[in-house]
Amino acid sequence: MEQRRRVGNRLLAALPPADFDLLAPHLLKVPLERDAVLVRSGDPIEQIYFPRSGTIAFITDMPNGQTVATAVVGNEGAVGMLSALDSSLSPMTAVVRIAGTALHISPTRFRAALSRSSALKNAVQTHAWALLAQFQHVAACNALHSVEARMARWLLHIHDQTDGNFLPLTQEALSELLGVRRTTVTHVVHKLRTLGAIRSSGRGLIEIDRPRLEAVACECYEVMRRRIERIVSPEEMKPPVHGAPVPKTPLIRDPLLAKAGEAPRGTRPHGVTGERPRGH
C-alpha cells in the first residue's frame, strides 16, 4: 500500500492494490530528459510511460514538415497506454518538454495485466477521455483565439504540472506548442512581457506572473482544466467492483486516440533519444 501511495502517477495510484500489483514487478523508474523524444510518429510500440513529474507534449507532424502540439500530459496521464487497445504504429510524436521522471513498462506486460483487471481497463478509458477532451479543446482554441491567448493557455497548463514559477521552455518549444514561426513567438513573448505576464531570460527560462497570465488567457484554459480534473478525479476514476463482468463493448477507438504515444524501435528507455522531432 505504501509503495502504491508513492507511485506518483494518478492513474496508477487510483488502482486497487491487487490490480496495481499486476504491474508493480514490471514497472521501472526512468528519467525524462528535457527535449527527449519518447516516440516518433509512425514508430512501433516499445514502452508505455507513466509520468511521475514533468510534462510531455504530443506533437502532430504535418506533411510540409511543420509540427504543432495537440495535448500535454503530466502525472495525470500516460504515453503509449492506448497501445493496449491497438498495437499499430503511433500517429503522433511525444516529446519531453519539462524534465521529470516516469515509470515504464512493456506493452506485452501491460496487456497481460489488462486482461486480468477491469480496474486497469477503466484507467485506460479514463486516460482516453482526458486526451480526447484536450484534442477537442485545442482544435477549437486554435481556430478561434489569438496566439497571445493560446500561449497563455499553454503556459498555465504546463505550470499546473510543474513546481515553481519558472518554466524551462525555449522559443523553439513555444513555436511547436503554438504551431507558428519563431518570429511570431518572439513578438508574442515581447507582448506578454510588456503586459507583465511573463519574464524571460536568455537561458530558455520563462518566469510567469500567474494572475496576469490568467487575465490574458482565453476561457479555454479554465474550461479545459476543470473538464480534465473532472475526468481524472478520484470519484470518476473509481474502478468497477471486483468480480463484476468485464464490459464486452470496446473502449474508445477514435483513430486519433487509438495509437497515441509508443516508443520507437531501437531507442533507449533511459534518456530515450534526445533528438528533435521530425520537422525541425
Side-chain angles (χ1 to χ4, degrees), residues 65-133:
Q66 192 172 2
T67 57
V68 61
T70 52
V72 297
V73 297
N75 70 354
E76 83 290 349
V79 174
M81 190 166 74
L82 297 181
S83 65
L85 307 181
D86 192 329
S87 59
S88 301
L89 305 182
S90 171
M92 291 180 292
T93 297
V95 185
V96 178
R97 282 299 168 221
I98 306 292
T101 62
L103 299 171
H104 78 43
I105 186 172
S106 74
T108 300
R109 297 284 192 184
F110 185 82
R111 282 194 286 267
L114 187 70
S115 67
R116 301 169 57 190
S117 170
S118 59
L120 197 50
K121 293 178 188 294
N122 188 67
V124 172
Q125 191 171 43
T126 295
H127 175 58
W129 279 118
L131 275 185
L132 180 58

Side-chain angles (χ1 to χ4, degrees), residues 22-219:
L22 296 174
L23 299 174
H26 312 294
L27 291 168
L28 179 65
K29 183 180 176 180
V30 293
L32 296 175
E33 299 176 0
R34 178 180 173 182
D35 294 336
V37 180
L38 303 183
V39 56
R40 289 189 184 281
S41 176
D43 283 336
I45 303 160
E46 288 200 355
Q47 295 293 339
I48 298 171
Y49 293 86
F50 294 93
R52 302 172 74 247
S53 59
T55 302
I56 299 163
F58 288 123
I59 308 299
T60 296
D61 304 305
M62 303 303 291
N64 65 358
Q66 192 172 2
T67 57
V68 61
T70 52
V72 297
V73 297
N75 70 354
E76 83 290 349
V79 174
M81 190 166 74
L82 297 181
S83 65
L85 307 181
D86 192 329
S87 59
S88 301
L89 305 182
S90 171
M92 291 180 292
T93 297
V95 185
V96 178
R97 282 299 168 221
I98 306 292
T101 62
L103 299 171
H104 78 43
I105 186 172
S106 74
T108 300
R109 297 284 192 184
F110 185 82
R111 282 194 286 267
L114 187 70
S115 67
R116 301 169 57 190
S117 170
S118 59
L120 197 50
K121 293 178 188 294
N122 188 67
V124 172
Q125 191 171 43
T126 295
H127 175 58
W129 279 118
L131 275 185
L132 180 58
Q134 278 206 70
F135 292 149
Q136 290 175 331
H137 239 100
V138 168
C141 185
N142 286 349
L144 298 174
H145 297 135
S146 70
V147 67
E148 293 84 8
R150 291 192 289 120
M151 181 181 287
R153 172 180 57 77
W154 278 123
L155 293 177
L156 289 168
H157 196 163
I158 292 172
H159 181 245
D160 288 342
Q161 300 170 340
T162 59
D163 296 323
N165 290 327
F166 289 89
L167 305 180
L169 293 169
T170 63
Q171 287 207 348
E172 185 174 4
L174 292 172
S175 172
E176 190 174 70
L177 286 170
L178 295 166
V180 299
R181 297 181 182 277
R182 290 181 64 177
T183 51
T184 302
V185 171
T186 300
H187 172 75
V188 175
V189 167
H190 175 73
K191 187 170 182 177
L192 293 181
R193 288 175 65 182
T194 301
L195 294 171
I198 66 171
R199 290 177 288 277
S200 59
S201 72
R203 296 172 297 178
L205 287 174
I206 295 178
E207 182 182 8
I208 72 166
D209 183 311
R210 190 171 179 99
R212 293 182 179 181
L213 200 60
E214 288 177 346
V216 177
C218 54
E219 65 272 16

Side-chain angles (χ1 to χ4, degrees), residues 14 122 233-240:
N122 188 67
S233 68
E235 184 60 31
E236 289 296 322
M237 290 178 64
K238 187 176 180 180

